[in-house]
C-alpha cells in the first residue's frame, strides 16, 4: 500500500503534496503515513483524500486530484452541518451558510490543545447564564459567546488578530453592532461599548483559564512571560513592565522625564520588533506603553 501511495519515483506523493499543501511522511513508521501541515483544514482534506484513495486502491495523479476535490466538497458540507447543529444546540438561528461554515471550521482548530469550537460553546453558555442573572438578552449573549472566536478559523487566510478578523466577517453579514463590538473587544484591542462586551471577556477568560482547559508547560509559560518583561525592562527609560492576558499583552510603564510621547511611540515599535525577533508565541502580542506625568502641590 505504501508503494502505491509513493508511486513511481515518488510522483504520487508529489501530486498529493501539490494538491493539498501538506507534507507526507511515508517512511517514518511501518504502519502509518503522517500528514504534516500547520493548517488544520489542509490536513483534514489530505487525510480524507488518502483514506478514499487507499480504500479504492487505484492511486495515480488523476485519481488523486479527483479525491482531493471530493474531499474539499465533503469537508465544506461537514463544516456546514457542524455549524448548523451547534446553532441548534444553543437555540440560535438566522445564520447565513458562510457563518455556519466558519463556525464548523473551529472544530479543526486548537488553542493550547483546547478545541476552539468546544471553547466557543462553553463561552456561549457561560454568557447566557450571566446574562440571565443580570436580566439581559440571553439569546444575544449566547450568540456573542459562540461567535467571539470565529476569526480563529480564518487566521491562516487573512492577516491580523482573530478578534478583528471575526468582527470584520460578522460586520459583512449584518450582525448586531453590539455583537460586533463585543467580538472585536474581547481581547481589549478596541474599547468595549456594552456590558455584553465585558461579559464576553469574562466568559472567555473563565473558559480558557479553568484547570485542564489548556495544556501548556508551566515552565515554558513562565519562561515566556519573564522573557517578555525582560525585553521591555532592558530599554532605557522603562520603570517596569507587566505581561498580562496570559502573555498576549505587555504593558510598559516609562519615566515621563526621560522619554517623550514621540519616544514612547518609537519604543512600542522597537519592543514589538524585539519580541518578533527573539520569542516564539501563539497569536499576537499587544505592546502598550504607559506614560504618565503627575504634578502634585498642596494648598495649606
Amino acid at each position: 500500500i505504501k508503494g502505491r501511495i509513493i508511486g513511481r519515483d515518488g510522483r504520487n506523493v508529489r501530486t498529493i503534496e501539490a494538491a493539498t499543501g501538506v507534507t507526507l511522511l511515508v517512511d517514518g513508521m511501518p504502519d502509518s503515513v503522517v500528514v504534516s501541515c500547520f493548517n488544520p483544514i489542509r490536513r483534514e482534506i489530505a487525510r480524507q483524500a488518502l483514506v478514499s484513495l487507499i480504500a479504492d486502491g487505484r492511486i495515480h495523479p488523476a485519481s488523486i486530484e479527483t479525491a482531493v476535490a471530493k474531499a474539499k466538497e465533503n469537508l465544506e458540507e461537514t463544516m456546514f452541518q457542524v455549524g448548523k447543529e451547534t446553532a441548534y444546540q444553543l437555540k440560535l438561528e438566522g445564520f447565513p451558510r458562510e457563518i455556519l461554515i466558519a463556525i464548523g471550521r473551529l472544530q479543526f482548530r486548537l488553542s493550547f490543545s483546547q478545541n476552539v469550537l468546544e471553547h466557543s460553546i462553553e463561552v456561549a453558555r457561560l454568557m447566557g447564564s450571566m446574562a440571565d442573572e443580570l436580566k439581559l438578552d440571553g439569546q444575544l449573549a449566547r450568540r456573542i459567546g459562540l461567535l467571539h472566536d470565529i476569526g480563529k478559523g480564518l487566521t491562516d487566510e487573512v492577516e491580523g488578530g482573530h478578534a478583528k478578523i471575526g468582527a470584520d466577517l460578522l460586520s459583512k453579514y449584518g450582525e448586531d453592532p453590539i455583537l460586533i463590538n463585543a467580538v472585536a473587544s474581547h481581547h481589549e484591542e478596541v474599547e468595549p461599548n456594552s456590558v455584553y462586551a465585558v461579559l464576553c471577556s469574562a466568559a472567555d477568560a473563565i473558559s480558557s483559564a479553568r484547570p485542564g482547559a489548556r495544556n501548556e508547560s508551566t515552565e515554558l509559560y513562565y519562561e515566556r512571560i519573564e522573557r517578555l518583561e525582560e525585553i521591555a525592562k532592558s530599554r532605557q527609560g522603562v520603570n517596569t513592565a507587566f505581561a498580562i492576558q496570559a502573555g498576549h499583552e505587555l504593558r510598559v510603564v516609562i519615566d515621563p522625564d526621560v522619554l517623550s510621547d514621540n519616544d514612547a511611540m518609537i519604543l512600542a515599535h522597537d519592543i514589538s520588533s524585539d519580541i518578533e525577533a527573539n520569542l516564539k508565541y501563539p497569536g499576537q502580542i499587544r505592546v502598550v506603553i504607559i506614560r504618565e506625568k503627575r504634578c502634585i502641590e498642596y494648598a495649606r
Side-chain angles (χ1 to χ4, degrees):
I1 291 174
K2 278 196 173 183
R4 290 205 298 272
I5 293 171
I6 294 168
R8 182 181 297 174
D9 299 325
R11 67 175 187 172
N12 289 347
V13 170
R14 289 196 298 273
T15 304
I16 293 170
E17 290 180 342
T20 59
V22 305
T23 299
L24 281 189
L25 307 175
V26 183
D27 299 326
M29 291 175 282
D31 299 323
S32 303
V33 174
V34 178
V35 179
S36 176
C37 181
F38 286 111
N39 187 316
I41 303 298
R42 289 181 186 174
R43 280 202 309 268
E44 182 61 19
I45 290 170
R47 187 193 68 80
Q48 289 189 14
L50 272 172
V51 168
S52 171
L53 288 165
I54 292 168
D56 182 54
R58 294 171 297 172
I59 307 176
H60 50 79
S63 67
I64 289 168
E65 290 174 3
T66 302
V68 170
K70 188 175 180 182
K72 286 179 180 177
E73 291 177 12
N74 291 343
L75 186 60
E76 183 171 309
E77 186 59 30
T78 299
M79 292 188 294
F80 172 68
Q81 291 300 329
V82 168
K84 195 174 176 181
E85 288 169 14
T86 302
Y88 177 78
Q89 181 183 342
L90 293 170
K91 298 182 175 60
L92 299 173
E93 56 187 21
F95 292 115
R97 179 181 174 86
E98 291 76 10
I99 295 295
L100 290 173
I101 290 172
I103 292 170
R105 287 173 72 97
L106 299 179
Q107 183 181 20
F108 301 99
R109 176 68 190 260
L110 300 177
S111 180
F112 294 107
S113 80
Q114 184 181 32
N115 184 279
V116 176
L117 180 60
E118 292 177 6
H119 164 68
S120 298
I121 293 170
E122 197 171 71
V123 171
R125 287 177 170 156
L126 283 167
M127 280 196 69
S129 297
M130 290 191 286
D132 290 342
E133 290 289 333
L134 296 170
K135 304 294 188 290
L136 299 171
D137 186 340
Q139 188 173 48
L140 175 60
R142 289 195 304 276
R143 196 178 186 95
I144 291 169
L146 176 60
L147 299 175
H148 82 286
D149 268 349
I150 197 168
K152 281 190 175 179
L154 305 171
T155 50
D156 293 318
E157 301 174 4
V158 184
E159 286 190 10
H162 71 271
K164 181 181 183 304
I165 293 170
D168 291 345
L169 176 69
L170 297 169
S171 177
K172 178 182 173 183
Y173 288 100
E175 287 288 342
D176 191 310
I178 292 175
L179 183 149
I180 293 167
N181 173 262
V183 171
S185 65
H186 77 275
H187 284 310
E188 300 183 8
E189 292 170 5
V190 301
E191 195 71 26
N193 64 10
S194 71
V195 66
Y196 293 97
V198 179
L199 291 182
C200 183
S201 297
D204 180 49
I206 292 168
S207 174
S208 58
R210 65 176 173 77
R214 297 187 173 184
N215 179 27
E216 183 185 24
S217 165
T218 305
E219 186 177 340
L220 288 175
Y221 171 75
Y222 283 121
E223 187 179 313
R224 191 174 82 236
I225 296 296
E226 287 174 3
R227 185 75 184 106
L228 263 177
E229 294 177 352
E230 284 171 6
I231 287 173
K233 289 176 181 176
S234 66
R235 293 278 174 171
Q236 185 179 4
V238 172
N239 287 341
T240 188
F242 304 97
I244 62 173
Q245 295 281 348
H248 289 290
E249 182 172 327
L250 180 64
R251 293 192 179 176
V252 184
V253 181
I254 62 174
D255 187 340
D257 295 324
V258 175
L259 299 175
S260 65
D261 285 343
N262 288 336
D263 294 332
M265 294 173 67
I266 295 168
L267 180 64
H269 177 269
D270 290 345
I271 291 174
S272 299
S273 299
D274 280 355
I275 293 170
E276 289 173 1
N278 298 306
L279 277 184
K280 291 183 179 179
Y281 49 90
Q284 63 179 11
I285 295 175
R286 182 185 185 207
V287 178
V288 180
I289 305 296
I290 299 171
R291 180 178 184 271
E292 182 183 45
K293 179 119 178 143
R294 295 190 184 187
C295 300
I296 301 173
E297 189 54 78
Y298 296 94
R300 295 182 176 86

